[in-house]
Amino acid sequence: ELDSLQLPLDLPLTLPSSLVRQRPDIQASEALLHEASAQVGVATANLYPKITLSGSVGSVALQAGNLFGSGSGIWSVAAGLLQPIFNGGALSARRRAAIAAYDQAAAQYRATILTAFQNVADALRALDLDASALKAQADAESLARESLELATRQYQLGAVSYLALLDAERSYQQARVSLVQAQAARYADTAALFQALGGGWWNREPLADISRTIHD
């Protein structure tokens, strides 16, 4: 039953933004940003010439007959140095593509964070409004119940008609329905806050530590 559900005793109206980082979508977007950044590093590193140097280069070069042979160390080094010259355009294009992918990942990361902040702000605002609405509906339900009790006693004494008693009963039932709706809205918005945070705030710091962080 609805009465068996229990809300947290304290629902914060302000939260540090670091709590939102535990959301799965932010974690995923952050991982993609790290990957894109690493790809830029790899593309940049590929611009450096890749050559093989060995101790046999000098001795092979001293043999005139093999100076320009396919097995010559000097010939191998020269081929390695020419490789980035021939492929420099392709390597630079790959680096530019990696940088563009990083910029896209960074923009997506920022958009994800802004959406998360908006979700949390909307949930906190809704909870603030829910608290006021729930108090007002609780007061209205209490007054309607007292009015029904008074009408019941008056009817038993013959002071009011049965129609008046039914009207008091109808008002009480309407107030009761409105109270349940206000409770349900607060439950739903509390669940929305949990979802917007990617879990409860207790996953990070105790509420007392959060309060100190906010005030500091």
Side-chain angles (χ1 to χ4, degrees), residues 60-70 72:
V60 173
L62 292 177
Q63 300 177 20
N66 296 328
L67 186 59
F68 298 104
S70 60
S72 170

Side-chain angles (χ1 to χ4, degrees), residues 159-182:
V160 297
S161 65
Y162 185 63
L163 221 69
L165 178 62
L166 288 179
D167 187 62
E169 174 71 22
R170 179 185 58 80
S171 297
Y172 170 72
Q173 292 299 337
Q174 287 179 343
R176 180 64 182 165
V177 168
S178 297
L179 176 61
V180 171
Q181 289 174 339

Side-chain angles (χ1 to χ4, degrees), residues 21 25-34 102-115:
R21 194 177 182 186
D25 56 344
I26 289 183
Q27 292 289 329
S29 184
E30 188 173 328
L32 291 175
L33 182 61
H34 287 317
Y102 173 81
D103 291 340
Q104 181 181 3
Q108 181 60 43
Y109 181 58
R110 288 191 293 269
T112 302
I113 291 177
L114 290 176
T115 299

Side-chain angles (χ1 to χ4, degrees), residues 10-97:
D10 296 309
L11 289 175
L13 295 181
T14 56
L15 289 167
S17 61
S18 59
L19 285 180
V20 183
R21 194 177 182 186
Q22 67 187 353
R23 284 172 55 120
D25 56 344
I26 289 183
Q27 292 289 329
S29 184
E30 188 173 328
L32 291 175
L33 182 61
H34 287 317
E35 180 184 0
S37 177
Q39 291 300 324
V40 173
V42 170
T44 301
N46 286 337
L47 294 176
Y48 188 80
K50 295 180 178 62
I51 61 175
T52 301
L53 301 175
S54 67
S56 63
V57 173
S59 61
V60 173
L62 292 177
Q63 300 177 20
N66 296 328
L67 186 59
F68 298 104
S70 60
S72 170
I74 291 180
W75 182 264
S76 298
V77 171
L81 288 173
L82 290 175
Q83 183 265 343
I85 297 177
F86 289 130
N87 297 330
L91 295 175
S92 297
R94 290 172 189 170
R95 183 175 182 274
R96 289 194 297 271

